[in-house]
Amino acid sequence: MEDLSTASAAEIASAVSTKSVSARSVVASTLERIARIDGRVNSFTDVLSDRALARADAVDAARQRGQAIGPLAGVPFAVKNLFDVAGLPTRAGAKINRDRVPAERDATLIARLEAAGAILVGALNMGEFAYDFTGENIHDGPTRNPHDLEHMSGGSSGGSGGAVAAGLVPLTLGSDTNGSIRVPSAFCGCFGLKPTYGRLSRAGSFPFVGSLDHLGPIARSVTDLALAYDAMQGPDPADPVETDRGIEAVRPTLDAGIGDLRVGVAGGYFARGGDAEAFAAVQHLGHALGCDRTVDIPEAARARAAAYLITAAEGATLHLDRLRSRAEDFDPAVRDRLIAGAMIPAPYLERAQRFRRHYRTAVLDLFRDVDVILAPSTPCRAPRLGQKTFVLDGVELPVRANIGVFTQPISFIGLPVAAVPVWLDDGLPLGVQIIGAPWREDVVLRIARYLEKEGHVRAPVAAFA
């Protein structure tokens, strides 16, 4: 394996397990590529060279002793810098958080990936306090789209998408409150998984909106998503979200094909208010899956509005003390939205939460007739860096607030989504959401894997000189 930039996590783990390559050589090559390329992409905020090499040596030593080294043995990965990493202050993209005491231990999901043999190599750039869809950070600079460095990576997990697309690591972790895994996956041409709300532990991560936050992986293959997902599952007493989580191994059934799975394409709200290419990408995958039915997700516009209210109000509550004492240290775009959220009347929030229960019941009823629903991830391809407005359906709108127009109504009720990249031409990629019923990550990943095997979706490494 000479070109690690194109190797998947599964390929690396196989090579390390069979002694075709050492974990140290994999990590050393990864660190060299990060040093050589990331100055142009700006995906990393912290590179943990000493830790990663020591961990690689431990994997190699265990392999030499004949011990089990895990399904992700030697696989380099990196995490959005809202995950606790032992020895680092947890930034969450903010200037204020640089003053925090360094974390004493790793976040649960980091520990679980390393227990499976993976090797943490660093922390990644993100939008401040995760309140962002662009991938632009006022303190650390923007993460650039590896497929066109003048364009956005998407946010708030911009570093997570950028690092995978640039071939710096095959696997990253991000968070998704209103679309922050699915948007970078679309803009950067990666695969992403937003699991069911509460499926993966959030212990050891900096929150944004407790009732909407999800954590999950971004990768260049569906198999890698499944490997990471399987490794990270399980109950966690430290997790603030209490759910009855079983262990669901999806990797063994990933290549089972689509069989008689029923697919619907979202119409109505999800078929307007975006560029024609965004809807063409959905139709392309619908055709590839033999889909002939349209599904109307009821009251999606109202769901997005309610998600906006809850996001603004809960986010503001979390940051009130910081807003009072250090307002000048916020990104002004984030600060102003949080201040506005602090002024939302309580009855509005109560009404949004009541509607949320109604909306969840109505959407779940759709899964009586279909197993998955296809919808655009974003209304357009990645805008240019610094772009403030775009035109959607003949209306000029703010970019930052409207990139999540199609993702917010889905995460609002915590549904699992596999985000897949579609390349319709030689331009930038587009993204499609494969949306499933709660706890059916196995189904959305099976569909994604089928589309990948048939060549309809792919996640190439960006070309760098």
Side-chain angles (χ1 to χ4, degrees):
M1 184 188 305
E2 296 181 0
D3 186 3
L4 292 175
S5 67
T6 60
S8 69
E11 290 167 340
I12 291 171
S14 176
V16 169
S17 296
T18 59
K19 301 184 180 182
S20 299
V21 67
S22 68
R24 172 171 266 269
S25 68
V26 171
V27 169
S29 177
T30 296
L31 294 172
E32 183 278 329
R33 185 170 173 86
I34 293 169
R36 178 163 50 88
I37 288 175
D38 195 50
R40 285 174 276 176
V41 178
N42 194 36
S43 59
F44 279 82
T45 54
D46 304 271
V47 178
L48 306 171
S49 301
D50 291 343
R51 169 180 167 150
L53 289 168
R55 175 66 182 157
D57 288 342
V59 170
D60 288 335
R63 181 187 64 178
Q64 198 64 30
R65 294 191 297 268
Q67 296 175 332
I69 54 177
L72 290 167
V75 174
F77 75 102
V79 299
K80 188 174 184 175
N81 69 28
L82 57 66
F83 285 80
D84 288 351
V85 176
L88 297 180
T90 305
R91 295 190 191 199
K95 177 180 179 181
I96 294 171
N97 277 22
R98 285 152 172 77
D99 298 339
R100 299 185 83 201
V101 174
E104 295 182 0
R105 61 182 64 85
D106 295 332
T108 295
L109 298 190
I110 295 175
R112 288 181 174 174
L113 286 179
E114 290 212 322
I119 298 171
L120 181 69
V121 298
L124 299 163
N125 202 358
M126 60 174 284
E128 184 181 83
F129 290 126
Y131 211 165
D132 166 63
F133 279 131
T134 68
E136 298 173 316
N137 185 290
I138 196 171
H139 314 295
D140 296 311
T143 295
R144 296 175 177 272
N145 192 318
H147 296 290
D148 187 328
L149 297 174
E150 297 305 312
H151 287 253
M152 295 175 180
S153 61
S156 62
S157 309
S160 302
V164 168
L168 305 181
V169 286
L171 176 68
T172 61
L173 297 184
S175 69
D176 190 312
T177 302
N178 287 303
S180 291
I181 286 173
R182 291 161 288 164
V183 169
S185 295
F187 285 178
C188 293
C190 305
F191 293 97
L193 175 65
K194 184 197 78 62
T196 305
Y197 179 78
R199 171 65 92 175
L200 298 183
S201 173
R202 298 187 329 209
S205 63
F206 196 90
F208 174 26
V209 180
S211 67
L212 297 173
D213 290 345
H214 307 65
L215 304 179
I218 295 176
R220 287 195 306 275
S221 81
V222 179
T223 297
D224 289 357
L225 288 183
L227 283 170
Y229 171 72
D230 284 352
M232 292 188 291
Q233 288 187 70
D236 181 6
D239 186 5
V241 180
E242 295 182 4
T243 59
D244 182 16
R245 287 189 293 262
I247 304 290
E248 175 203 3
V250 302
R251 178 65 185 90
T253 61
L254 201 61
D255 288 311
I258 58 173
D260 58 355
L261 291 177
R262 301 160 301 166
V263 180
V265 170
Y269 174 89
F270 292 92
R272 60 178 182 269
D275 290 347
E277 293 95 334
F279 307 123
V282 177
Q283 293 300 326
H284 173 70
L285 297 192
H287 179 74
L289 294 167
C291 172
D292 60 359
R293 73 178 82 192
T294 300
V295 175
D296 185 17
I297 298 178
E299 299 187 274
R302 188 178 174 191
R304 184 183 178 228
Y308 245 108
L309 283 174
I310 293 169
T311 297
E314 285 195 31
T317 300
L318 178 67
H319 293 288
L320 274 179
D321 289 343
R322 299 178 188 89
L323 288 167
R324 292 188 180 108
S325 62
R326 298 185 61 175
E328 71 282 358
D329 290 331
F330 281 82
D331 177 343
V334 172
R335 179 192 63 216
D336 293 348
R337 296 169 84 185
L338 291 172
I339 290 172
M343 295 185 286
I344 293 175
Y348 287 16
L349 184 60
E350 190 274 337
R351 197 174 304 167
Q353 292 286 17
R354 190 188 310 157
F355 168 72
R356 188 179 187 183
R357 292 189 291 272
H358 161 77
Y359 177 69
R360 177 180 170 83
T361 299
V363 174
L364 293 190
D365 193 55
L366 299 175
F367 290 102
R368 297 175 184 271
D369 299 317
V370 296
D371 297 294
V372 299
I373 301 170
L374 305 183
S377 292
T378 60
C380 60
R381 304 178 204 246
R384 297 183 69 84
L385 285 170
Q387 184 176 331
K388 301 301 182 186
T389 65
F390 51 16
V391 177
L392 299 179
D393 222 15
V395 180
E396 186 172 11
L397 298 167
V399 166
R400 187 166 182 155
N402 288 284
I403 291 174
V405 62
F406 297 131
T407 51
Q408 284 182 283
I410 307 306
S411 45
F412 181 53
I413 51 174
L415 300 181
V417 181
V420 298
V422 179
W423 303 76
L424 295 178
D425 49 37
D426 293 333
L428 289 170
L430 294 145
V432 172
Q433 300 180 82
I434 303 172
I435 304 161
W439 316 112
R440 295 316 306 263
E441 285 81 359
D442 61 324
V443 171
V444 300
L445 288 172
R446 272 177 59 195
I447 295 282
R449 176 59 180 148
Y450 172 83
L451 291 168
E452 182 186 28
K453 285 176 64 178
E454 295 298 313
H456 300 292
V457 297
R458 59 190 177 91
V461 173
F464 285 94

